[in-house]
Amino acid sequence: MSQRIQDVAARLFDEHGFAETTVGSIAAEAGISERTFFRYFAAKDDLLFASFAADTQWAIDSVGDQAPGNDPWDTLQAVVEAALERLTADAQRRAERFQHIAADSPQVQASYLAHQRLFQRKLADALWLRWASNEADHRIILNAVVSAVFAALNEVVALSADRSPEEQRHLIRATMAAMRPSAAVWTHSR
């Protein structure tokens, strides 16, 4: 049912816009009551972030799937590469729809930033645990590196919106290569 509600909402957002689409219209089109809608989603905005939990778990699982000898950067780069391979035309349409909605809604932008920050923290913690470092400094460094990577990737995607998906992937790979920290970062201690 959750997926059905999301599909109906996506169609209505495309047809009428996010702000103009009500929970009532989503529920009616999905053939459910508003009360049933609220069993699945606390608010209309939550429809936009429904995949975050699954995507976060996928990224954490991907960290665990990497070779044990990889340093945190190699692992992060492998996760980014796997995410690029996972992108489908449908996922890109959802991302474009989301960007359009977020551009017109400060509330959605704020919610996105909170979700993204949580995702980044969980990914950085997974890298830290995988690396088996007990140093608090390493945890701070990993959080900073993951945040920097996401900021850079968001910028690449925003600035290359007119490019083909393959060109965007190339730019993301080039950005990751340019950002690679020196090995000294991973041996840093107090």
Side-chain angles (χ1 to χ4, degrees), residues 35-59:
R35 184 176 176 162
T36 300
F37 173 93
F38 288 115
R39 285 189 194 139
Y40 292 92
F41 300 97
K44 179 175 74 170
D45 293 7
D46 291 347
L47 288 162
L48 301 173
F49 304 104
S51 69
F52 260 79
D55 291 343
T56 301
Q57 191 57 54
W58 175 86

Side-chain angles (χ1 to χ4, degrees), residues 2-183:
S2 174
Q3 188 60 52
R4 178 172 159 69
I5 295 168
Q6 291 174 62
D7 293 344
V8 167
R11 183 174 50 79
L12 292 175
F13 294 161
D14 287 344
E15 291 172 5
H16 306 289
F18 180 76
E20 291 77 20
T21 302
T22 65
V23 169
S25 63
I26 295 167
E29 285 284 325
I32 60 173
S33 68
E34 284 188 43
R35 184 176 176 162
T36 300
F37 173 93
F38 288 115
R39 285 189 194 139
Y40 292 92
F41 300 97
K44 179 175 74 170
D45 293 7
D46 291 347
L47 288 162
L48 301 173
F49 304 104
S51 69
F52 260 79
D55 291 343
T56 301
Q57 191 57 54
W58 175 86
I60 290 168
D61 292 345
S62 294
V63 167
D65 293 343
Q66 300 307 308
N70 282 359
D71 70 29
W73 180 262
D74 290 336
T75 300
L76 178 59
Q77 193 164 11
V79 171
V80 168
E81 189 64 37
L84 289 175
E85 296 305 318
R86 223 176 143 214
L87 281 180
T88 63
D90 185 52
Q92 287 188 297
R93 278 192 299 280
R94 283 193 316 268
E96 288 168 7
R97 178 185 307 117
F98 178 82
Q99 289 170 353
H100 179 72
I101 292 168
D104 295 332
S105 173
Q107 179 182 345
V108 171
Q109 289 174 14
S111 206
Y112 170 73
L113 291 174
H115 279 85
Q116 187 178 50
R117 186 66 201 122
L118 180 61
F119 175 87
Q120 291 171 8
R121 283 259 164 100
K122 288 183 176 187
L123 179 57
D125 282 349
L127 288 164
W128 183 65
L129 292 170
R130 173 79 172 165
W131 191 24
S133 171
N134 291 325
E135 279 200 52
D137 285 358
H138 288 157
R139 191 175 200 180
I140 293 167
I141 291 167
L142 281 168
N143 270 281
V145 166
V146 168
S147 293
V149 164
F150 273 84
L153 296 183
N154 282 335
E155 203 57 21
V156 167
V157 170
L159 294 173
S160 66
D162 61 334
R163 305 280 185 97
S164 73
E166 195 50 48
E167 288 175 304
Q168 284 188 325
R169 286 183 182 100
H170 171 75
L171 287 167
I172 288 170
R173 288 179 180 117
T175 300
M176 291 293 291
M179 292 182 71
R180 183 177 187 83
S182 73

